[in-house]
Amino acid sequence: MKALVFAIRSFRREISSGEVLVLLAAVGLAVAALTAVGFLTDRIGKAVARQANEVLAADLRLRSQEPVPEEWRALAGEYGLLTAETMLFPSVVFKDESSALSAIKVVSDNYPLRGSVRVADQMFGEQRVVDGIPASGEVWADGALLARVGADIGDTLAIGELDLEVSAVLTYRPDQSIGFASLAPSLLMNIDDVDRSGLIGEGSRVSYALLVAGDEQAVADFNTAIEDELPDSVRIRSQEESSERAYNAADRAQRFLSLTAVISLLLSAVAVAMSARRFAQRRMDTVALMKSLGATQGFVISVALIQLVMLGVLGVVAGSITGFAAEELLASILVDLLQGDLPEPGLRPVILASGSAMVLLLGFALPSLLQLRNTPPLRVLRHDAVPPAPSRLLVAGLSLAAVAALLYRSVGDPRMLAILIGGILVIAALLYLVGRGLVALIGRFRSGVGVAWRYGLANVARRGRDSAVQVVAFGLGITVLLLLTLVRTDLLEGWRKTLDADAPNHFLINIQPHEVDDVGALFENNGMARPAFTPLVRARMTTINSESVKEREYPNEDGRWLANREANLSFAAEMSSSNELIEGEWWPVDYDGPPLVSIEEESATNTGVTIGDELEFFVAGREVTAEIASIRKVNWDSFQPNFFIVLSPGALDGMPTTYISSMRIEADKQPMLVDLVRAHPSISVIDLDAILQQVRGIIEKASLAVQAVFVFTLAAGIAVLFAAVQSTIDERRFESAMLRALGARKRTVFSGVMAEFAALGLAAGILASAGASILAALVAVQLFQLPYEFNPLLWVVGVAAGVVVVCVSGYFAARGAVNAAPVDVLRGGAG
């Protein structure tokens, strides 16, 4: 009880001291950053997941070849979930004497559960979002289908035994395929009309589906409950499988946010470590006096721990409030992304962030405080009597273990942590070595400069190890500030470039060989560049190294599915610009030898094949055997025609071939598509704008969030700089008082302090620029799979920031020491 009362009284007196304020700021910033990012990543993750689920039109889809049993719907209802039913089957649609094959999509009320259907009032006209489905007796038809049969809005189509009115042009439905398998244009039909149409009978090929959506946990519980009861013929698709492009964008968004939070926390750790050292040193005199008056080691440690916990609680409270307010502000900024019935922020991010900050505080501050128990009472008389320092290895080990543990718990990305922590440790070691070298050099060359510089450089040389430690602190602060300013901008710009403004927004598929020239000419006649046409051949893989694909063992189920499905093959003399060769060699342009094949890297991994293996395909009654010559990395985000498997020229000669093409068609040119589909009714046009808008929206919203969360990192970096200055503030105060007492002018003393900071900042800036460049390249390539270009401006800004930022921080932190009255300082002694 006595220790508690004493701790509270002394803490109230010391709350405004520099090291306590820096410690409070560091803890508060760590909590605020983790709290805000915890809220955001959770809510943005859910929001993006729901946007990505548009590809399913639901959170969960159960697909079967049999009608959906009532029991499935009833079970979903028990979990409070919304449901909708769909059917998909091919059928011929008639208008007068014209007919065309169509993919009939039959839907019930509530469809779609995720996403929206879009229609237009004329072919390739302006789109609008609609609620609901076609009324009974009406259909919404794809523009390509209308063009093939010569129909328009208001006309009647004969579908089975019914005549149904076309009330709108169907431009987009969430679960439409953008692949090359669905060549028939779509038609959306009300489920109430399907029985009267007579389209479904015994032996009909119909794909039935139950769509489910609702609370995330309820969906997961329903999935678990029904999984074991479903026959093998039923396939469940969930959000993890729904949209690779949207999920890639979501994953990068969360990685950017997590990167910002991790760096904020690492900076806070450095600030805590620097401040904790001074926090303990400032208490040595008090502890010495307490021990000379009979205080026990237990009492000393109890007081220190109580004050540390009080400091931590204040930091946690302030940080939690700041983090929650920041999240609310960011959520309002990101309102377009965080739409829908998202859950309110819970307490989990606050609890996790608060626990992490306390671990951070104890991990870095406790070893320094434990040193206080050995403070000798003699220090009351002799200020050079200091307790033995704890093992540096022990302190570093405990601190690093604490930081690594809380970061892993908060972020859960070991690869990111390994790159960042490893990179920062290497940079810190280099900074320390450079700092020691700087001290040695300055000791030799300081005689040839003016008084102020001579005094400042002498301070750098005299402090030795402390100067090197300051170079480390300054350098780390500047490194991560550079990483999160210029480099952050470069990374986000690189991300945007993966989906640039000229990305294709339309696919043309099922182009017959004799139509290629006419289609190319049509584009040229409308003032557009002739598109490139990529061949496509449908085939089935039969054997791998003479072993049947049906009997072969695979590393995973994705490999089995890939090997046994109907494949889309292509052949090319040159590799696509959106592909990168990672193993093997591409064949020469004029290659005319035996068939070779290039396979996409993930497909090779999943099927367990490598360079030199032989793949056999069955194509139109013929067998084609090809040896794997290369493995490629494919940029699927490019929206260009890409294939898992590409063969060498001549390998598929004489096989039934169609062509596909991708191109960007601006809005004012899109009316030409009407002429295209009427002149070539077998060609299907796929509009990708909806998907492009979705991914671009994720990128832009994530960029805004990263910019906002960066404020915490900036504040943490400033805290590091102030902590580094505060670590030697008592010594500076005493030195300034002595010099002024001996006749030195305040201006000269202050100029010397600024010269010292300029020297330290120059060394830190040079090393920080190098460190930020290397770390940025690792982060871009290893974490985000983005190209990174060296930015020379980084070095200019880094060196300038090293000098300016350190000097400015030193000015505000050290001016009190220089301005202090010498008589007051000298009466109080060096401590």
Side-chain angles (χ1 to χ4, degrees):
M1 190 65 184
K2 289 181 180 179
L4 177 62
V5 173
F6 183 85
I8 293 174
R9 286 178 178 174
S10 58
F11 187 74
R12 282 190 306 183
R13 291 194 302 269
E14 297 167 351
I15 190 67
S16 60
S17 64
E19 76 282 354
V20 173
L21 288 177
V22 172
L23 263 176
L24 270 175
V27 174
L29 286 168
V31 174
L34 284 179
T35 302
V37 171
F39 284 144
L40 278 174
T41 52
D42 182 51
R43 299 183 78 189
I44 288 177
K46 288 183 172 64
V48 172
R50 292 188 177 183
Q51 285 193 355
N53 285 354
E54 289 186 14
V55 183
L56 301 179
D59 294 333
L60 198 71
R61 184 177 73 191
L62 284 68
R63 191 170 62 188
S64 171
Q65 299 305 312
E66 302 293 333
V68 174
E70 178 60 35
E71 291 80 5
W72 296 4
R73 289 191 294 270
L75 182 60
E78 291 177 12
Y79 286 91
L81 301 173
L82 290 174
T83 60
E85 290 182 59
T86 69
M87 305 177 196
L88 182 64
F89 54 88
S91 181
V92 176
V93 173
F94 294 88
K95 182 185 183 296
D96 301 329
E97 300 301 318
S98 302
S99 64
L101 181 67
S102 175
I104 308 293
K105 183 78 171 184
V106 178
V107 295
S108 69
D109 289 338
N110 293 333
Y111 173 88
L113 300 179
R114 296 285 180 236
S116 302
V117 174
R118 300 178 190 177
V119 300
D121 296 324
Q122 60 184 14
M123 285 191 288
F124 302 105
E126 185 175 348
Q127 303 180 47
R128 56 185 172 86
V129 174
V130 292
D131 292 325
I133 60 175
S136 180
E138 297 179 0
V139 292
W140 298 338
D142 190 302
L145 176 64
L146 298 179
R148 291 180 187 183
V149 297
D152 210 334
I153 303 292
D155 290 344
T156 298
L157 299 179
I159 304 171
E161 299 176 5
L162 292 178
D163 290 331
L164 302 175
E165 179 186 347
V166 179
S167 57
V169 178
L170 178 65
T171 59
Y172 172 78
R173 57 181 174 84
D175 51 350
Q176 71 185 24
S177 170
I178 65 164
F180 309 134
S182 302
L183 303 183
S186 296
L187 181 144
L188 204 63
M189 178 177 176
N190 193 305
I191 200 169
D192 293 339
D193 293 330
V194 72
D195 289 338
R196 295 184 295 113
S197 70
L199 290 169
I200 299 178
E202 188 174 351
S204 298
R205 296 183 59 188
V206 182
S207 176
Y208 298 88
L210 175 68
L211 307 183
V212 177
D215 177 74
E216 183 181 17
Q217 187 58 50
V219 171
D221 292 342
F222 168 76
N223 190 8
T224 302
I226 202 172
E227 208 166 18
D228 295 335
E229 301 180 11
L230 297 178
D232 293 339
S233 60
V234 177
R235 186 178 180 191
I236 300 178
R237 290 195 69 192
S238 61
Q239 61 185 38
E240 286 80 9
E241 305 173 80
S242 54
S243 173
E244 184 176 357
R245 289 183 179 92
Y247 265 92
N248 284 342
D251 179 64
R252 281 178 179 165
Q254 295 196 18
R255 278 174 176 256
F256 271 115
L257 285 168
S258 296
L259 176 68
T260 309
V262 167
I263 290 178
S264 298
L265 197 60
L266 288 173
L267 277 173
S268 298
V270 175
V272 168
M274 298 290 294
S275 301
R277 181 165 165 261
R278 174 168 155 77
F279 186 77
Q281 288 176 340
R282 284 293 301 270
R283 276 147 186 77
M284 285 183 186
D285 289 340
T286 303
V287 170
L289 181 60
M290 290 166 59
K291 293 182 76 171
S292 68
L293 296 175
T296 63
Q297 284 191 353
F299 183 83
V300 170
I301 293 300
S302 296
V303 170
L305 284 176
I306 290 170
Q307 290 185 342
L308 192 65
V309 170
M310 291 170 61
L311 193 150
V313 170
L314 281 176
V316 163
V317 171
S320 298
I321 294 172
T322 305
F324 185 82
E327 191 277 336
E328 286 296 309
L329 176 63
L330 293 175
S332 65
I333 294 174
L334 307 180
V335 65
D336 293 337
L337 180 62
L338 303 176
Q339 56 189 337
D341 54 340
L342 289 175
E344 289 299 313
L347 291 177
R348 184 177 178 276
V350 175
I351 294 170
L352 183 60
S354 302
S356 298
M358 292 303 292
V359 171
L360 178 72
L361 186 62
L362 292 173
F364 278 99
L366 193 57
S368 296
L369 290 179
L370 289 177
Q371 184 183 7
L372 290 177
R373 65 179 181 176
N374 297 320
T375 302
L378 182 63
R379 185 174 169 86
V380 174
L381 301 176
R382 289 182 54 190
H383 288 290
D384 59 345
V386 295
S391 167
R392 292 180 185 175
L393 186 60
L394 174 64
V395 173
L398 287 175
S399 303
L400 285 175
V403 172
L406 67 89
L407 284 176
Y408 180 76
R409 185 67 185 86
S410 302
V411 178
D413 190 335
R415 194 177 184 190
M416 176 187 289
L417 297 182
I419 290 174
L420 286 178
I421 294 179
I424 285 177
L425 284 177
V426 171
I427 293 170
L430 291 175
L431 284 167
Y432 184 77
L433 292 175
V434 169
R436 298 296 283 185
L438 176 69
V439 169
L441 285 173
I442 285 175
R444 296 179 182 178
F445 297 108
R446 67 176 185 266
S447 58
V449 293
V451 175
W453 275 98
R454 189 160 61 247
Y455 166 61
L457 297 180
N459 281 345
V460 174
R462 183 170 46 79
R463 288 196 175 92
R465 178 177 171 275
D466 285 342
S467 294
V469 170
Q470 284 188 311
V471 169
V472 172
F474 291 142
L476 287 179
I478 296 167
T479 296
V480 292
L481 289 178
L482 288 173
L483 188 65
L484 265 295
T485 49
L486 294 179
V487 176
R488 181 198 74 236
T489 304
D490 291 345
L491 284 175
L492 289 173
E493 188 58 34
W495 190 14
R496 290 189 183 97
K497 285 180 180 178
T498 65
L499 200 66
D500 58 36
D502 296 325
N505 63 353
H506 284 81
F507 261 115
L508 302 184
I509 62 176
N510 200 32
I511 305 170
Q512 300 301 315
H514 67 274
E515 296 177 309
V516 169
D517 289 338
D518 289 345
V519 172
L522 183 61
F523 275 87
E524 291 175 341
N525 294 338
N526 280 273
M528 289 179 281
R530 182 185 181 92
F533 297 94
T534 305
L536 183 150
V537 177
R538 305 301 295 274
R540 278 196 177 275
M541 192 184 301
T542 55
T543 67
I544 298 175
N545 293 331
S546 301
E547 183 181 1
S548 171
V549 294
K550 297 184 182 298
E551 300 173 1
R552 177 183 169 85
E553 294 293 326
Y554 298 92
N556 53 52
E557 284 302 312
D558 287 340
R560 179 177 298 280
W561 172 80
L562 185 71
N564 284 274
R565 75 185 182 106
E566 189 172 20
N568 297 311
L569 308 182
S570 187
F571 54 88
E574 297 181 352
M575 187 170 61
S576 169
S577 60
S578 59
N579 290 200
E580 177 187 349
L581 203 65
I582 61 173
E583 191 176 344
E585 295 182 359
W586 191 263
W587 42 81
V589 175
D590 55 353
Y591 180 79
D592 60 356
L596 299 176
V597 64
S598 177
I599 187 169
E600 187 265 342
E601 62 170 340
E602 191 172 349
S603 302
T605 300
N606 291 338
T607 52
V609 298
T610 187
I611 303 293
D613 287 348
E614 284 192 344
L615 307 180
E616 186 174 288
F617 300 93
F618 186 75
V619 190
R622 292 169 51 189
E623 292 182 347
V624 176
T625 301
E627 179 183 325
I628 297 178
S630 63
I631 297 175
R632 295 165 292 121
K633 182 177 183 178
V634 176
N635 177 17
W636 300 106
D637 291 338
S638 66
F639 286 89
Q640 296 178 9
N642 278 308
F643 295 84
F644 291 109
I645 297 173
V646 178
L647 283 85
S648 57
L652 299 175
D653 282 354
M655 305 296 181
T657 303
T658 60
Y659 289 83
I660 63 173
S661 184
S662 67
M663 70 289 294
R664 179 158 196 85
I665 304 177
E666 301 300 339
D668 60 330
K669 297 288 187 180
Q670 290 188 14
M672 61 86 61
L673 293 173
V674 178
D675 298 332
L676 173 67
V677 294
R678 283 180 173 162
H680 305 279
S682 65
I683 296 176
S684 291
V685 180
I686 299 175
D687 188 345
L688 301 178
D689 265 333
I691 296 169
L692 284 165
Q693 290 171 10
Q694 181 187 37
V695 177
R696 282 200 183 100
I698 292 170
I699 292 174
E700 294 306 318
K701 299 303 181 184
S703 300
L704 273 176
V706 170
Q707 305 283 4
V709 176
F710 169 66
V711 172
F712 295 115
T713 310
L714 184 62
I718 293 172
V720 167
L721 299 177
F722 269 84
V725 176
Q726 285 287 333
S727 65
T728 57
I729 201 70
D730 289 332
E731 194 175 346
R732 295 180 193 282
R733 186 180 290 114
F734 185 74
E735 289 171 356
S736 298
M738 287 291 294
L739 288 170
R740 290 179 61 192
L742 293 173
R745 291 184 300 172
K746 185 191 299 185
R747 181 177 179 181
T748 303
V749 175
F750 197 78
S751 298
V753 172
M754 289 296 100
E756 176 185 356
F757 285 130
L760 294 174
L762 180 64
I766 293 172
L767 263 292
S769 300
S773 299
I774 296 170
L775 204 54
L778 287 172
V779 167
V781 176
Q782 296 298 322
L783 291 183
F784 297 101
Q785 289 77 51
L786 293 172
Y788 179 70
E789 297 178 4
F790 172 73
N791 186 352
L793 185 61
L794 186 71
W795 283 78
V796 177
V797 173
V799 174
V803 176
V804 174
V805 174
V806 172
C807 284
V808 171
S809 301
Y811 170 79
F812 285 108
R815 64 178 179 173
V818 177
N819 291 330
V823 64
D824 295 335
V825 176
L826 295 176
R827 279 176 180 171

